[in-house]
Amino acid sequence: MSASNTRQTGAGAAWARQNGNVLSTEAQAALPLGWRGWDISPAAGLRVSRVSLGGFAETATEQAFALKGSASSGTTVTPVLHLNLGRSYVTASRILVTPRVTFGVEDALGNPGAGLGLTTQDGTVFALDPQHLSPVSGVVGVGVRMARGDWSLDIGYNGRFSGNWSAQSLQAAILARF
């Protein structure tokens, strides 16, 4: 991941670029059940994520107002509980259509935000305490899969919502077997 930032200093702009990495792994167990044509899969799992951010040094119109930031990193462990619901239908042209919905809850144990140190050009050090994100989030997902023979199209939306943050994503995938 790479991010760039421009901020106003009061004496012109300051600009910096910062690089980082996110490494995440997850294990999940699900129990597929069926009821009156519905696929019901309760699932429980554990996700471990490591976030590492490199340091940065701003370039500024007035270099005396430029800041330097130290590298930081953190790890969080997140238990997850999800309930996946879906039902398949076959159209007149033999396309298998499977709408699905997911509900869930996730709880980040610990906050990966570490204190970030900022230094001015004259060596003054500022220690910043990052805002702690709400650890518990609700998960909502909707999507549809359409398949026939050796091809399929999968489209979906996922959202995570918490007290002071949210994350949303759209996905699309095409699978063709040869």
Side-chain angles (χ1 to χ4, degrees), residues 16-123:
R17 180 175 208 90
Q18 185 176 25
N19 293 308
N21 295 301
V22 177
L23 178 61
S24 188
T25 185
E26 183 172 344
Q28 191 175 86
L31 178 62
L33 305 169
W35 181 73
R36 294 187 180 188
W38 287 90
D39 295 321
I40 304 167
S41 296
L46 194 65
R47 180 184 318 117
V48 178
S49 300
R50 173 87 175 155
V51 177
S52 301
L53 295 174
F56 69 90
E58 288 182 331
T59 301
T61 306
E62 291 293 327
Q63 199 58 29
F65 292 101
L67 298 174
K68 292 181 184 177
S70 58
S72 61
S73 63
T75 301
T76 188
V77 176
T78 306
V80 299
L81 292 173
H82 291 175
L83 178 62
N84 305 300
L85 305 169
R87 185 171 185 148
S88 296
Y89 302 92
V90 178
T91 67
S93 54
R94 297 186 347 218
I95 296 174
L96 181 66
V97 179
T98 308
R100 67 181 181 284
V101 63
T102 298
F103 301 100
V105 65
E106 300 181 354
D107 184 8
L109 305 176
N111 190 324
L116 178 66
L118 292 179
T119 307
T120 62
Q121 292 297 319
D122 68 1

Side-chain angles (χ1 to χ4, degrees), residues 149-152 174-178:
D150 290 333
W151 71 269
S152 67
I174 297 173
L175 173 68
R177 294 183 197 105
F178 297 97

